[in-house]
Amino acid sequence: MPDMSPLSTTSPCQLARRSGTAIWRQIEETLAADILAGARTGRLPNETELAAHFGVNRHTVRQAAKALADRGLVEVVHGRGTFVREGMIAYELGRRSRLAHSLAKARRIGVSQLTGQRDNVAESDVAEMLELPPDSRVTRIDTLDRVDERVVGVCTQYFPLPRFAGLAEVYQQLGKTHLALAHFGVTDFQRKLSRISAMLPTREMAQLLGQAVTQPILRVETVYVDADGIPIEYGISHFDSGAVQLVVEP
Amino acid sequence: MPDMSPLSTTSPCQLARRSGTAIWRQIEETLAADILAGARTGRLPNETELAAHFGVNRHTVRQAAKALADRGLVEVVHGRGTFVREGMIAYELGRRSRLAHSLAKARRIGVSQLTGQRDNVAESDVAEMLELPPDSRVTRIDTLDRVDERVVGVCTQYFPLPRFAGLAEVYQQLGKTHLALAHFGVTDFQRKLSRISAMLPTREMAQLLGQAVTQPILRVETVYVDADGIPIEYGISHFDSGAVQLVVEP
């Protein structure tokens, strides 16, 4: 085991002595703290090694590893061991880059699927983000983002009407937002603002993402503007935090 | 109730008919889906109104609201009602802006507290981020970020040695990273890269942040470089997702 800061590490002796918390939970906490502090990467020691290190049986270690996996911190690769999560999709929040661009750069295959559509009067939040007067109408589409055939994102996008009337039908055929926007003559647009937060998914969202309801999602709200600075899209994406991380390179 | 997309809304009738899921949980899900889709903001209808809308008793509605609060989606303001979470600290991930700058801009008082320090050989991840050869030494500091007297962030920062030898002592006196860096002659530096992910906190971290262990944290890893492009700091911050959101304005 590497030499670690007293803040992030509980020695095996301290583990055994702490009361009121199950031993496997204490092991989970210790490993999680090290992973979060960047002090543990790659493959975890195997069950036998961990059991010996913590002075517990393998069952206890297995419970700890299972809990880490449920939190999305590690993944079990059958036959190879337990790894600190890496190989994540890096979605670059650049001025002109959308998720599709980050995927193309990483040579990963992204496919979006339209799951719902509705024209409606904009809620106050949506109107504000799109800088629309009250009671303006917007078209809303709901989509799933699949990467390498796995659903990684659940998205809702709003576009002002009447400018983008019929966008859903176009999107359905073209499968990408930037292509649908180009159909409406918008070929030059940029990210004006992204707001990022973390939360737990709804059950429905967790089901769509194929993840545990205990695993957080990354929520990214973005406003895109056209070449004249006029908002054209307000998108809210919810990503599986075990599959996607965001990258900012100012 | 506003008119909402079929994707995010279950009508009261459907609610009553779904089986296998507690009614309060179905109500929680419905409200959470609306909040996440941006279709519900501000104050939630009061218990009596929600109970009437969903055709349930107030106790059931209260359970749903409690669950939403545990997830960090709403907050209960005593005597005023339940509000969709807003008024969050917006940490702008700009080229030259650190959290301290975003707080100053918002006229909020940020104080950082040193909780641990250690000089050590860099773990492989840390060495990679700081572009150091293997077996290089770094100084690590652990801090708590307080805003308006509430802990909102738990941070670990690594600085290369011998360049920043004694940084912890300086930080202890000056209380801000950029002031400590200035002490070492680094007055011009910028964010090279930030990676953002979401996860659940460790118990220790949740305790420090004064939040539930079920509420996700936002993890921001950042590499800062000096005017010559040489990495000077690798920081890992964990923020209470109920208090902090990140903002990117490319």
Side-chain angles (χ1 to χ4, degrees):
Chain A
M1 303 282 279
D3 187 15
M4 281 169 295
S5 146
L7 269 182
S8 70
T9 304
T10 314
S11 81
C13 308
Q14 284 176 289
L15 265 190
R17 270 192 267 107
R18 266 173 64 192
S19 60
T21 307
I23 297 286
W24 68 265
R25 177 71 81 185
Q26 295 180 38
I27 294 173
E28 179 209 345
E29 284 283 297
T30 304
L31 294 173
D34 290 346
I35 292 169
L36 293 181
R40 188 173 284 287
T41 53
R43 195 178 72 80
L44 290 189
N46 68 31
E47 281 181 7
T48 311
E49 290 162 344
L50 283 176
H53 173 77
F54 288 112
V56 298
N57 65 42
R58 287 171 54 181
H59 176 70
T60 304
V61 161
R62 203 170 304 146
Q63 263 187 299
K66 167 83 170 56
L68 288 172
D70 284 348
R71 293 169 58 176
L73 285 179
V74 302
E75 58 186 335
V76 179
V77 182
H78 287 291
R80 291 190 51 220
T82 301
F83 292 80
V84 174
R85 257 195 126 126
E86 281 162 50
M88 307 250 286
I89 297 159
Y91 171 17
E92 197 184 320
L93 302 180
R95 189 189 292 271
R96 287 173 196 281
S97 63
R98 300 183 67 107
L99 177 60
H101 300 107
S102 295
L103 293 174
K105 210 164 123 186
R107 298 177 185 214
R108 299 184 79 153
I109 297 175
V111 174
S112 293
Q113 179 196 343
L114 188 73
T115 56
Q117 187 271 325
R118 185 141 181 174
D119 292 353
N120 228 329
V121 171
E123 297 296 327
S124 59
D125 231 36
V126 174
E128 194 186 316
M129 295 303 262
L130 289 172
E131 298 171 21
L132 297 173
D135 300 323
S136 298
R137 291 180 66 79
V138 290
T139 188
R140 165 181 168 164
I141 63 172
D142 293 277
T143 58
L144 294 181
D145 282 335
R146 276 200 177 74
V147 175
D148 300 339
E149 303 194 356
R150 177 180 163 199
V151 176
V152 300
V154 176
C155 310
T156 300
Q157 292 156 271
Y158 299 93
F159 305 85
L161 289 174
R163 184 169 180 185
F164 296 103
L167 180 131
E169 290 69 29
V170 176
Y171 183 96
Q172 179 87 297
Q173 285 165 36
L174 301 176
K176 300 263 181 252
T177 306
H178 66 279
L179 299 179
L181 288 170
H183 176 91
F184 287 87
V186 181
T187 49
D188 182 16
F189 62 94
Q190 51 182 276
R191 183 186 309 272
K192 182 192 171 202
L193 166 86
S194 283
R195 283 201 304 220
I196 302 148
S197 46
M199 53 195 55
L200 292 180
T202 62
R203 251 144 229 271
E204 186 195 358
M205 207 173 265
Q207 212 157 28
L208 289 170
L209 291 168
Q211 66 164 60
V213 288
T214 54
Q215 190 185 304
I217 50 173
L218 269 173
R219 171 187 165 92
V220 183
E221 290 173 86
T222 300
V223 175
Y224 293 95
V225 294
D226 67 14
D228 299 321
I230 296 168
I232 52 168
E233 177 189 347
Y234 169 41
I236 309 170
S237 296
H238 300 94
F239 295 113
D240 175 350
S241 66
V244 176
Q245 63 181 14
L246 308 171
V247 175
V248 177
E249 293 176 296
Chain B
M1 302 283 279
D3 188 14
M4 281 168 296
S5 146
L7 269 183
S8 69
T9 304
T10 314
S11 81
C13 308
Q14 284 176 288
L15 264 191
R17 269 192 268 109
R18 266 174 62 193
S19 61
T21 306
I23 297 285
W24 69 265
R25 177 72 80 183
Q26 295 181 38
I27 295 173
E28 179 209 345
E29 283 283 297
T30 304
L31 294 173
D34 290 347
I35 292 169
L36 293 181
R40 187 173 284 287
T41 53
R43 195 178 73 79
L44 290 189
N46 68 31
E47 280 181 7
T48 311
E49 290 161 346
L50 282 175
H53 174 76
F54 287 111
V56 298
N57 65 43
R58 288 172 53 181
H59 175 71
T60 304
V61 161
R62 203 170 305 146
Q63 264 187 301
K66 166 81 169 58
L68 289 172
D70 284 348
R71 293 170 58 178
L73 285 179
V74 302
E75 58 186 334
V76 180
V77 182
H78 288 292
R80 291 189 52 219
T82 301
F83 292 80
V84 174
R85 254 193 128 124
E86 282 161 50
M88 307 250 285
I89 297 160
Y91 171 18
E92 196 183 320
L93 301 180
R95 188 189 291 271
R96 286 173 196 280
S97 63
R98 302 182 68 106
L99 177 59
H101 301 107
S102 294
L103 293 174
K105 211 164 123 185
R107 300 179 186 217
R108 299 183 78 154
I109 297 176
V111 173
S112 294
Q113 179 196 343
L114 188 73
T115 56
Q117 186 271 327
R118 185 143 180 173
D119 293 352
N120 229 329
V121 171
E123 297 298 326
S124 60
D125 232 37
V126 174
E128 194 185 317
M129 295 302 263
L130 288 172
E131 297 171 23
L132 297 174
D135 299 325
S136 298
R137 292 179 65 79
V138 290
T139 189
R140 165 182 169 163
I141 62 171
D142 293 277
T143 58
L144 295 180
D145 281 334
R146 276 200 177 74
V147 175
D148 301 340
E149 305 195 354
R150 175 178 164 203
V151 176
V152 300
V154 176
C155 310
T156 300
Q157 292 156 274
Y158 298 93
F159 304 85
L161 289 175
R163 185 169 180 187
F164 296 103
L167 181 132
E169 290 70 29
V170 177
Y171 184 96
Q172 179 86 296
Q173 285 165 36
L174 301 176
K176 301 263 181 252
T177 306
H178 66 279
L179 298 179
L181 288 170
H183 176 90
F184 287 88
V186 180
T187 49
D188 181 17
F189 62 93
Q190 50 182 276
R191 182 186 309 272
K192 182 192 172 200
L193 166 85
S194 284
R195 284 201 304 222
I196 301 149
S197 48
M199 53 195 55
L200 291 180
T202 61
R203 251 144 229 271
E204 186 195 358
M205 207 174 267
Q207 212 158 29
L208 289 170
L209 291 168
Q211 65 164 61
V213 288
T214 54
Q215 190 186 303
I217 51 173
L218 269 173
R219 172 187 166 92
V220 184
E221 290 173 85
T222 301
V223 175
Y224 293 95
V225 294
D226 66 15
D228 299 321
I230 296 168
I232 51 167
E233 177 190 346
Y234 169 40
I236 309 170
S237 296
H238 300 95
F239 296 112
D240 174 350
S241 67
V244 175
Q245 63 182 14
L246 309 171
V247 175
V248 177
E249 292 175 297

